[in-house]
C-alpha cells in the first residue's frame, strides 16, 4: 500500500502551474506525493522535487474515442487501484477529478466542500471535505494541501525562490498566446514593447503554441527588427525557454505562471482577468492589472463599446498597460 498521497489535478496548464507553489510547501516539509495529471502536462508535473510518480491520464482524448476510450479508461483504473493508495487529494474540485479520486479506491479522499468547489456536486466524492475561502487560486491550493496533510501554510511569506542560474539575463521571452480572445494583448502594443526591449539590448523571443499564434508572432517580429518568432514546440522545450530567460512578459496564461513560480523575473499583463484571483506568484513576479472601469470583467469576449468600434485595436483595458509601464515593471522584477 502506498504511503504517499495521490494528488489529482488534471488540467489546464494554468491550473497545473498554480499547483507548483503549493507543492513547494510540501517540499519544505519533506513531504512527497504522486500525481495524476492530463497527458499533455506530464513533463511539468515530473519536474517538481515534491513529486515522485506521475500518472498520465487522457480523459480529454478518451472522451472522443468511444469504446476504445472506455477500454483505455478501464485499464487505467485497474492499474491505479492496484497501486493501493491510502489517501487521495482532489485539488481540482470538479466532477471529473472527484471521479478519478474515487477510482483510486483510497479509503481517505480529501477535497473541497460543496461551497468551496468549482462544481459543488464533486464534494460528494470525498470522505473529508474542507471549507477553503474564496481568494487567489494559489492560496486556496496551499490551504487545501495544509488542511489535508495537517499543517497551515504561511500565506504572507514570499513564494518561490530566485534562480541561481542567470546565464541568459539578456533574453526577453514574450508570451502572447491565450485561449481567451479578451486576454489577447494587442499586436501594436507587443510591437512597441519588443522594439523597446531590443533598444535596451535584450534578445527578444516570441513563443507560440498554435499555428494562429505563430502567425501573430511573425507579424510582431516583422515590425520589430531583431525579434525572433518561434514555431510551436513541445511543452518541455517551451518550459525550458521561459525558465532560462532573463525576463518573461506574458498575458495570464500557463507558461507565464510557470516562469513566475520558477523564480524568473516575470511581468504579467492582466486586463479581463483578476490579479486578486490568479495574479502571478513568485519571488520576482510583477502583476500589472488594468485600471479601466470595467476591468477585471472575467469575460472570455470583450463587450466594451470601444472594442466593438475598433476590434483591430484590441480590448481597451490593455491600452492602460503600455510599454512604458511594462518596462518599469521589468526593471522592478529584474532588480528583485
Amino acid at each position: 500500500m502506498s504511503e504517499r498521497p495521490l494528488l489529482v489535478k488534471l488540467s489546464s496548464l494554468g491550473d497545473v502551474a498554480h499547483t507548483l507553489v503549493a507543492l513547494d510547501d510540501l517540499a519544505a516539509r519533506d513531504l512527497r506525493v504522486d500525481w495524476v495529471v492530463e497527458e499533455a502536462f506530464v513533463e511539468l508535473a515530473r519536474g517538481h522535487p515534491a513529486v515522485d510518480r506521475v500518472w498520465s491520464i487522457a480523459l480529454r482524448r478518451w472522451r472522443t474515442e468511444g469504446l476504445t476510450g472506455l477500454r483505455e479508461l478501464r485499464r487505467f483504473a485497474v492499474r491505479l487501484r492496484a497501486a493501493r493508495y491510502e489517501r487521495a487529494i482532489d485539488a481540482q474540485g470538479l466532477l471529473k477529478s472527484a471521479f478519478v479520486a474515487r477510482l483510486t479506491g483510497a479509503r481517505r479522499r480529501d477535497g473541497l466542500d460543496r461551497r468551496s468547489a468549482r462544481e459543488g456536486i464533486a464534494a460528494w466524492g470525498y470522505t473529508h471535505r474542507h471549507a477553503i475561502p474564496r481568494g487567489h487560486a494559489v492560496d486556496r491550493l496551499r490551504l487545501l494541501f495544509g488542511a489535508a496533510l495537517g499543517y497551515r501554510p504561511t500565506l504572507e511569506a514570499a513564494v518561490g525562490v530566485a534562480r541561481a542560474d542567470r546565464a541568459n539575463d539578456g533574453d526577453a521571452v514574450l508570451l502572447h498566446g491565450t485561449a481567451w480572445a479578451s486576454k489577447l494583448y494587442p499586436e501594436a502594443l507587443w510591437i512597441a514593447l519588443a522594439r523597446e526591449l531590443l533598444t535596451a539590448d535584450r534578445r527578444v523571443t516570441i513563443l507560440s503554441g498554435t499555428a494562429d499564434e505563430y502567425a501573430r508572432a511573425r507579424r510582431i517580429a516583422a515590425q520589430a527588427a531583431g525579434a525572433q518568432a518561434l514555431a510551436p514546440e513541445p511543452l518541455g522545450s517551451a518550459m525550458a525557454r521561459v525558465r532560462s530567460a532573463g525576463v518573461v512578459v506574458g498575458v495570464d496564461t500557463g507558461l507565464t505562471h510557470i516562469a513566475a513560480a520558477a523564480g524568473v523575473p516575470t511581468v504579467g499583463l492582466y486586463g479581463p482577468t483578476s490579479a486578486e484571483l490568479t495574479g502571478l506568484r513568485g519571488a520576482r513576479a510583477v502583476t500589472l492589472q488594468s485600471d479601466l472601469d470595467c476591468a477585471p470583467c472575467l469575460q472570455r469576449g470583450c463587450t466594451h463599446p470601444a472594442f466593438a468600434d475598433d476590434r483591430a485595436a484590441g480590448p481597451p483595458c490593455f491600452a492602460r498597460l503600455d510599454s512604458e509601464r511594462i518596462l518599469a515593471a521589468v526593471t522592478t522584477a529584474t532588480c528583485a
Side-chain angles (χ1 to χ4, degrees):
M1 181 172 293
S2 176
E3 296 181 359
R4 291 185 304 277
L6 179 69
L7 169 63
V8 180
K9 185 73 165 179
L10 308 176
S11 59
S12 60
L13 180 56
D15 287 344
V16 172
H18 285 147
T19 311
L20 300 178
V21 181
L23 289 169
D24 288 345
D25 289 334
L26 300 190
R29 293 168 171 81
D30 293 323
L31 298 173
R32 302 179 70 83
V33 295
D34 292 351
W35 189 347
V36 180
V37 68
E38 272 284 344
E39 58 184 354
F41 311 124
V42 164
E43 284 189 80
L44 177 55
R46 282 185 179 143
H48 198 282
V51 177
D52 280 338
R53 181 174 183 177
V54 176
W55 293 82
S56 174
I57 194 170
L59 286 181
R60 290 178 172 180
R61 176 166 55 83
W62 292 340
R63 284 197 202 105
T64 68
E65 293 179 343
L67 289 176
T68 299
L70 284 175
R71 284 192 289 268
E72 289 293 330
L73 175 59
R74 186 178 298 112
R75 283 192 284 267
F76 174 84
V78 169
R79 294 195 306 271
L80 187 63
R81 188 172 288 262
R84 300 180 64 199
Y85 285 98
E86 180 69 18
R87 171 183 290 187
I89 303 172
D90 178 7
Q92 194 131 21
L94 299 177
L95 190 58
K96 67 178 181 180
S97 55
F99 167 71
V100 173
R102 286 190 66 92
L103 285 181
T104 66
R107 289 192 298 176
R108 172 165 178 157
R109 298 183 301 278
D110 290 87
L112 298 167
D113 71 7
R114 183 175 59 84
R115 295 182 181 276
S116 305
R118 287 161 64 182
E119 294 179 359
I121 193 172
W124 294 106
Y126 315 134
T127 61
H128 292 70
R129 305 175 184 92
H130 304 282
I132 304 298
R134 299 291 177 184
H136 196 284
V138 168
D139 291 343
R140 300 189 80 220
L141 285 166
R142 296 178 72 193
L143 289 170
L144 174 61
F145 280 27
L149 298 175
Y151 65 87
R152 184 169 182 82
T154 305
L155 299 183
E156 295 76 17
V159 293
V161 294
R163 287 181 303 115
D165 175 15
R166 299 182 59 188
N168 297 322
D169 272 3
D171 292 345
V173 171
L174 307 185
L175 302 174
H176 63 102
T178 172
W180 287 24
S182 62
K183 290 197 292 184
L184 289 172
Y185 190 68
E187 287 186 30
L189 296 182
W190 278 123
I191 291 167
L193 175 62
R195 288 172 174 170
E196 293 283 358
L197 290 168
L198 289 162
T199 300
D201 293 326
R202 288 190 177 274
R203 296 177 295 274
V204 175
T205 303
I206 310 168
L207 302 193
S208 304
T210 66
D212 286 344
E213 291 175 8
Y214 184 39
R216 187 188 312 124
R218 292 201 305 270
R219 291 194 297 269
I220 296 167
Q223 298 297 317
Q228 181 182 17
L230 294 188
E233 57 188 354
L235 177 59
S237 299
M239 289 193 301
R241 290 187 189 280
V242 301
R243 285 172 169 164
S244 65
V247 66
V248 171
V249 180
V251 294
D252 179 12
T253 192
L255 281 172
T256 311
H257 290 277
I258 290 169
V264 177
T266 308
V267 177
L269 310 178
Y270 282 63
T273 52
S274 170
E276 290 187 3
L277 299 179
T278 59
L280 301 184
R281 291 298 179 89
R284 310 181 73 194
V286 177
T287 301
L288 296 180
Q289 176 78 70
S290 172
D291 58 0
L292 191 66
D293 55 359
C294 59
C297 64
L298 305 181
Q299 296 185 134
R300 288 178 172 267
C302 180
T303 58
H304 195 284
F307 182 65
D309 294 338
D310 186 4
R311 288 184 172 271
C317 54
F318 282 127
R320 307 296 184 99
L321 306 180
D322 57 17
S323 58
E324 181 178 355
R325 193 171 169 191
I326 295 170
L327 288 170
V330 166
T331 299
T332 300
T334 54
C335 292

